[in-house]
Amino acid sequence: MSDAGREEWTALARWQRPALIVGVVALVVCVIGAWFDPGQFFRAYLSAYMFFLGIALGGMVLIMLHQVTGGAWGFLIRRALEAQMRTLPLLAALFLPVAVGVGWLYPWAQPEEIAAEPKLQYQQFYLNPPFYWGRAAVYFVVWLGMAYLLTSWMREQDRCGARRLAPRIVTFSGVGLVVYGIAIHFASIDWVMSLVPKFPSTIFPPL
């Protein structure tokens, strides 16, 4: 490591302990808030979760887009995008509170709401907790698998400059963009749009 790199690392390390303390304090506040108003806690958590998930998935999409289109623009931000993408395993684990909070988040998971609303009864074949959890597991398996393969191949490419990997990565990225589009389409319906199950929209998932 160069002297400049060592100085940068030292400067960043100086912030680790204060950042950890702030994080622990914020976590304690969140736990206290969840005890008094779990509904509001889970709604706030879902909002923050979707923001950070968007950063991770956005990094993966831009990497695949660059692999397909080429150009010098992607090389400038590639490392940052890779770092974003590699937070996906952590985000998969952090989805657990959302999965646990289904009954507080979604009207279609609340028996009293279902009993009072015929439309919710009709939607139960799709909007029900077990199927919701199963679909979420599929989304994360797809995203984590894509991130793992991209990371492995790009590391190998960096290490030995293997030209044979380039066509494989490009082909995978083209297919991956389509698969990602389908997965995020349904995930956005499940996790966000179904917060208001009476709201119909054909443009919401693409947006």
Side-chain angles (χ1 to χ4, degrees):
M1 183 183 293
S2 66
D3 291 340
R6 193 175 292 107
E7 287 178 7
E8 284 186 24
W9 175 253
T10 303
L12 288 173
R14 213 178 289 133
W15 289 96
Q16 286 182 331
R17 186 182 297 274
L20 178 62
I21 293 172
V22 170
V24 170
V25 171
L27 180 61
V28 170
V29 172
C30 286
V31 170
I32 294 172
W35 178 265
F36 288 102
D37 192 346
Q40 183 58 44
F41 166 79
F42 285 114
R43 285 190 292 272
Y45 186 93
L46 178 64
S47 177
Y49 181 83
M50 293 305 296
F51 174 80
F52 288 104
L53 181 67
I55 294 174
L57 292 177
M60 183 171 68
V61 168
L62 287 174
I63 286 173
M64 291 191 292
L65 188 62
H66 176 248
Q67 294 293 341
V68 171
T69 61
W73 63 270
F75 292 109
L76 298 174
I77 56 175
R78 177 174 163 180
R79 298 308 180 199
L81 297 178
E82 289 178 2
Q84 291 171 211
M85 179 177 66
R86 288 171 186 165
T87 62
L88 276 171
L90 176 61
L91 286 163
L94 291 174
F95 183 76
L96 185 60
V98 179
V100 170
V102 166
W104 284 279
L105 281 169
Y106 302 102
W108 49 260
Q110 300 167 4
E112 65 280 4
E113 293 285 342
I114 297 170
E117 180 53 57
K119 188 172 183 179
L120 289 178
Q121 298 168 19
Y122 175 76
Q123 294 172 333
Q124 280 293 287
F125 79 98
Y126 185 82
L127 296 177
N128 61 80
F131 197 16
Y132 172 95
W133 295 325
R135 291 193 302 273
V138 171
Y139 305 147
F140 281 112
V141 167
V142 169
W143 294 333
L144 290 171
M146 291 166 62
Y148 173 78
L149 290 174
L150 285 169
T151 298
S152 299
W153 290 337
M154 288 190 299
R155 278 179 177 170
E156 182 67 21
Q157 204 173 32
D158 289 343
R159 186 164 54 248
C160 58
R163 291 182 177 273
R164 62 182 175 80
L165 289 175
R168 184 190 303 178
I169 297 174
V170 171
T171 302
F172 178 83
S173 296
V175 175
L177 286 169
V178 176
V179 173
Y180 166 80
I182 296 171
I184 198 65
H185 181 98
F186 284 96
S188 65
I189 293 173
D190 289 351
W191 300 347
V192 181
M193 190 173 168
S194 73
L195 288 166
V196 186
K198 296 181 183 179
F199 170 64
S201 173
T202 55
I203 197 62
F204 182 87
L207 288 175

